[in-house]
Amino acid sequence: MTILETIKYRRSVRKYTSGEVALEDIMLLLDAARWAPTGGDVQAWTFIVLREDANIRKLRAVSPGMLGEPTAAIVICTDMDRVLERGGRPPQQFLPRMDTAMAAQNIMLLAQELGLGSCPIGSFNREAVQVLLDLPPSVIPELVISLGYPAGETKAPARRAIEEIVHYERYEGRPDGS
């Protein structure tokens, strides 16, 4: 698959089989995540991997956005101590959500290539996740990625026409300069 095909076929999966995600595949996903762009090369992300059913159930209990029964999850966190150590002054000079989003996209695109389903989840109780994962106060959970093998195919939603969303040189500008 080309990169563009991978992008086009990636879907947010919310129904999974009971097949376990191999640790080797999770390590590949994490390697892809650590190569994501990061503001000021701070590399402040920290990744918590959950594979045990009991821990995933606890995470689901405090994450209303987590649907289905994934067999693994990655919680992407920002280590604010690292941000400060590396000279960042949040929030003006450091946008942890940007770094989180780019790492998440790498994870989800590689998951698609590996035949795994994934879904980004922002709807969760941050304080509860902090306690559940024994995170120090400086490590902030930003996003959860559920993982597993898709149970069935997911359909692509319609996308707006490119002519409707792209402007040239100014709002409503055209490629010919008009």
Side-chain angles (χ1 to χ4, degrees), residues 9-28:
Y9 290 109
R10 192 219 61 83
R11 298 285 167 268
S12 292
V13 174
R14 294 174 179 89
K15 292 183 182 178
Y16 301 96
T17 70
S18 60
E20 184 177 306
V21 178
L23 183 57
E24 295 80 20
D25 286 343
I26 289 174
M27 294 308 294
L28 289 172

Side-chain angles (χ1 to χ4, degrees), residues 71-89:
T71 56
I74 298 173
V75 181
I76 306 175
C77 304
T78 298
D79 182 343
M80 294 308 291
D81 284 347
R82 182 165 174 87
V83 171
L84 297 173
E85 286 169 13
R86 299 290 303 259
R89 287 187 225 59

Side-chain angles (χ1 to χ4, degrees), residues 33 38 53 72 80 87 95-96 114 134 144 150 167:
T38 173
D53 289 340
M80 294 308 291
L95 300 171
L114 295 173
D134 295 324
V144 175
H167 308 274

Side-chain angles (χ1 to χ4, degrees), residues 6 20-21 26 31 35 38-39 50 52 61 68-70 81 84 91 105-106 124 127 133 143 147 151 162:
T6 302
E20 184 177 306
V21 178
I26 289 174
D31 194 32
W35 284 102
T38 173
L50 284 79
E52 294 181 14
E69 295 186 18
D81 284 347
L84 297 173
Q105 184 76 353
N106 281 10
F124 60 89
E127 293 80 19
L133 302 179
L143 191 67
L147 296 165
I162 199 157

Side-chain angles (χ1 to χ4, degrees), residues 26-46:
I26 289 174
M27 294 308 294
L28 289 172
L29 298 174
L30 295 169
D31 194 32
R34 76 186 181 101
W35 284 102
T38 173
D41 197 30
V42 173
Q43 301 180 42
W45 359 251
T46 298

Side-chain angles (χ1 to χ4, degrees), residues 97-113:
R97 293 211 169 118
M98 291 278 290
D99 288 5
T100 297
M102 290 186 272
Q105 184 76 353
N106 281 10
I107 289 169
M108 293 184 296
L109 289 173
L110 185 56
Q112 170 67 32
E113 186 176 304

